[in-house]
Every structure is written in C-alpha cells, then in structure tokens.
Amino acid sequence: MEKVIITGADGFVGSYTVQHFLNEGCEVLALDMGDAPRRLKPEGKLSYKKCDVSDIAKMKEIIPAGIYDTFVHFAWAGSSGEARIDHKLQMQNALNTVECMKVAKELGCSRFVCAGSIMEYEVEAAIHSQGSHPGMGYIYGMGKHIAHCMCKAIAANIGIDLLWPMITNAYGVGEYSPRFVNTTLRKIINGEPLQFTAATQNYDFVYVTDVAQAFYKVAKNGKPFCEYMIGSGNAKPLKEFILEMVGSCGPDSKPLFGDVPFTGTNMPLSTFAIDDIKNDCGYEPEVSFGEGTKMTMDWLHTI
C-alpha cells in the first residue's frame, strides 16, 4: 500500500486518518467538499482536491487512473445531529458509497475500505425483533447497513477487495459535532445539568488517533470481505464511562441517571470485541478513556 485516495478527508476522523497514512509514508490524495482544507496541513506527499462524492463523473475526471492502490471512504453527509434521521439523505449516502467503490475499481484500486458503524448491529437487532418499533434514530445505521450489504455483493461481482471497519464511538480533540463525549464535556464546562438514561446499556468509546491507526492497519493488513470492530477493547456499561469522565473532568458535577428514557438496543459485550482487528491487522488501542477525555476537555477550554 503506497498511494491512497481518502474521501471525507478534511472531516474529524478523516483528517486524523490522512495524517496517520502520511506518517506511515503513504502518498495521499485527499478529497472533500471545501475549496481548501480546514484541518489538513500541507505536506509533501499530500494532495487535495475539491470533490463532492455524489458527482461521480467529476470524480472520474479529476483522479487519474492507474496510480492509486487503495480507496478509503469516509464521506457521509448527516453523520450527526438531525440529519441522521433524514432517510432520503442516508439512502443517498449508501448509493454514493457503492458508486465510489465502483470508481475505485475503475481507477485501478485493489482495495476499498469503508467506514462502517456499530449501529449496523443495533439495526439488525431492532429490525429483526418481532413487534419492535424502531425509532427514527436508527435511520443513520440503516444507511450504513444498506451500504455494507450492497457493497459486499457488488465488490464480489466486480472484483475488488472490500474491507469494512466499524467504529464504535469516536471522540477527541477537534470534534465539533454533538456526539456524546463532546456534548457531555461541554455541559460540564457550561455548568449545565447532566441528564442521562439509566445508562445500563453496554458501550465503548475510542479515541480518534486510535481510529486512524485502525483504518491504516485494516487497509494494509485486513482480510478481504471482512468487517473489523474499532474500539478500545474495554467495553462496559455506559454509566461506568460517564462516572469516569465526570470524575476526572467535572468532579463538582452530578450526573443524573434515569432522567432520559432509553429507546435504543442494548448490545451484548461480545459485539464490541476487537479480537479480529488485533489478530488480523495488528491494531492495539493506545489512548485510555481517561487520557482521551482529559485531552478533549483541555482542548474544549481553548475554543
């Protein structure tokens, strides 16, 4: 693996992943929608091109064929906030993913690595339960799962290796979207009430540099047509994470458990296992939750 295309490259996880690939000596073509990158810094082996992945014709026009060996796909509109429940947007994301994989094949890439989500497992559990009434919050995960299913069949048909790393819950310095860790730390800073579900559901969080490491190692060492869970290796009930975060970052704050109804699906701890990615790819998480939340809190105080 020497020359890599990365979409969504100027986003939170994408930008860290670009940097990790560069640090490993790869040449990277970074694609994103901005006229110029906001997060990425100029480097000798980095080139940046403005590209909307929904414009497949434009993508083919701006990327020369026969140069790149690996295509890493992060670009996904509406990964946080209210857009997660926009079914048309999430379906379009799935279709865009399939088309990007087909372009990767046409460009001569031998491997297509796409960012999946642990929510795909939650979707399966919720949908295939008799009498279940899944909430709209599952729409994002459904989009990811649809993309996964279609890509696997089409990849086998067109002859490109598909690898599907599945992120549990990424967090870290540079995260602006309203995901759980970011939102909770901001509430601590602002002195807002910390209201949660009973938080007995199993959970895991993984620091963004570990996510970037995982994508590199899956792209390099992963087995074709396999999925790999990216986590900390220390999954546990959400309440334990919350108490650790509040204890280290907001000891004067009092978390209120049970104030918010839980409408999701509690997954068994085995769902979060990272044995496959460790054994096949050589992944080892390096940043503990305590260290990661402390770094994130320190950064939030500066913005």
Side-chain angles (χ1 to χ4, degrees):
M1 183 174 64
E2 297 179 355
K3 298 184 178 182
V4 182
I5 299 167
I6 300 181
T7 70
D10 200 38
F12 173 51
V13 175
S15 60
Y16 274 92
T17 303
V18 167
Q19 189 60 56
H20 194 97
F21 274 77
L22 291 170
N23 292 346
E24 294 289 347
C26 295
E27 182 177 321
V28 177
L29 171 59
L31 305 179
D32 214 309
M33 295 180 66
D35 291 325
R38 297 173 296 110
R39 298 174 185 263
L40 299 174
K41 307 301 180 186
E43 290 199 30
K45 288 193 173 185
L46 172 65
S47 56
Y48 177 88
K49 292 188 178 183
K50 179 181 179 180
C51 181
D52 183 340
V53 296
S54 65
D55 189 345
I56 295 300
K58 181 68 174 178
M59 185 182 296
K60 293 179 182 179
E61 178 184 318
I62 65 174
I63 305 175
I67 294 178
Y68 299 95
D69 51 66
T70 303
F71 194 115
V72 181
H73 183 59
F74 287 106
W76 191 279
S79 59
S80 64
E82 288 298 311
R84 287 170 68 96
I85 66 173
D86 184 334
H87 65 282
K88 292 182 179 179
L89 176 63
Q90 299 303 335
M91 185 65 77
Q92 187 61 54
N93 283 329
L95 294 173
N96 290 345
T97 299
V98 172
E99 294 304 317
C100 282
M101 185 181 68
K102 291 163 65 178
V103 169
K105 174 64 177 178
E106 292 180 29
L107 293 173
C109 295
S110 60
R111 290 162 83 82
F112 184 79
V113 184
C114 183
S117 170
I118 193 170
M119 285 199 69
E120 296 175 54
Y121 284 109
E122 295 182 37
V123 164
E124 285 190 338
I127 294 299
H128 297 293
S129 297
Q130 295 287 64
S132 65
H133 292 71
M136 292 295 288
Y138 284 100
I139 296 293
Y140 166 78
M142 290 173 181
K144 286 286 187 182
H145 191 53
I146 290 167
H148 190 173
C149 293
M150 291 194 296
C151 279
K152 199 160 190 177
I154 294 170
N157 179 257
I158 65 177
I160 188 171
D161 289 346
L162 175 68
L163 298 104
W164 203 269
M166 306 173 81
I167 304 171
T168 50
N169 294 280
Y171 73 99
V173 172
E175 168 70 286
Y176 290 94
S177 65
R179 292 192 179 95
F180 188 86
V181 169
N182 198 351
T183 298
T184 302
L185 292 177
R186 287 177 181 273
K187 286 182 177 180
I188 291 173
I189 292 172
N190 296 330
E192 299 174 27
L194 301 181
Q195 297 172 298
F196 305 102
T197 65
T200 55
Q201 66 269 36
N202 293 321
Y203 232 78
D204 196 11
F205 295 97
V206 56
Y207 193 72
V208 64
T209 54
D210 283 334
V211 177
Q213 176 214 157
F215 270 87
Y216 173 78
K217 289 184 174 175
V218 168
K220 182 180 180 182
N221 303 321
K223 295 179 180 179
F225 294 91
C226 287
E227 58 192 50
Y228 292 102
M229 191 63 66
I230 301 176
S232 71
N234 189 34
K236 53 193 175 186
L238 178 59
K239 186 173 184 177
E240 295 182 31
F241 283 109
I242 293 171
L243 291 174
E244 181 179 356
M245 178 166 41
V246 172
S248 63
C249 298
D252 294 331
S253 301
K254 181 181 179 181
L256 304 173
F257 295 104
D259 281 13
V260 179
F262 176 60
T263 58
T265 302
N266 188 18
M267 305 302 296
L269 286 173
S270 58
T271 306
F272 301 84
I274 61 171
D275 295 354
D276 288 342
I277 192 172
K278 292 176 71 174
N279 295 335
D280 290 355
C281 308
Y283 166 73
E284 287 291 343
E286 298 175 349
V287 181
S288 71
F289 187 66
E291 293 169 331
T293 51
K294 178 64 166 58
M295 288 189 289
T296 307
M297 185 68 153
D298 290 345
W299 168 72
L300 286 170
H301 277 296
T302 69
I303 62 174

